[in-house]
Amino acid sequence: GFMKSIEILVMVVLGGMGSVPGSVISAIVLTVLPEALREVADYRMLVYAIVLILVMIFTNNPQLKAFFGRVKDRFASKKEVAADAQ
């Protein structure tokens, strides 16, 4: 139905439209989230909307993109050092 279509759209948007691993992770999170919020099931779609808005705000922020890029580079360089040590 319509609600399932919206749920799938939210999973794809939260995970990243061009990122299959991101979409899979967001699908897992959005599948587990209703179970965690079972007591407040009436607000599930409200929580989805709030999370979606926050993700859009944070992912469109150039400063946050630069920060996450630096974090990613730092972890990548640590992996290379660990691989070279073996």
Side-chain angles (χ1 to χ4, degrees):
F2 179 73
M3 290 307 289
K4 191 55 134 177
S5 299
I6 295 298
E7 190 174 348
I8 292 170
L9 177 67
V10 169
M11 290 176 185
V12 171
V13 171
L14 280 180
M17 301 264 298
S19 171
V20 174
S23 295
V24 170
I25 290 170
S26 70
I28 291 169
V29 168
L30 291 177
T31 303
V32 172
L33 190 62
E35 295 301 320
L37 298 173
R38 186 172 290 272
E39 298 85 32
V40 289
D42 296 335
Y43 300 108
R44 181 182 67 165
M45 294 310 287
L46 178 65
V47 171
Y48 283 170
I50 291 170
V51 169
L52 184 60
I53 290 168
L54 291 175
V55 167
M56 287 182 177
I57 289 171
F58 288 121
T59 58
N60 288 326
N61 186 334
Q63 293 172 338
L64 284 174
K65 282 184 181 181
F67 170 75
F68 288 125
R70 287 192 305 269
V71 169
K72 182 179 174 183
D73 292 342
R74 185 173 296 166
F75 281 118
S77 66
K78 287 182 180 181
K79 284 183 182 179
E80 290 174 3
V81 170
D84 290 340
Q86 293 178 355

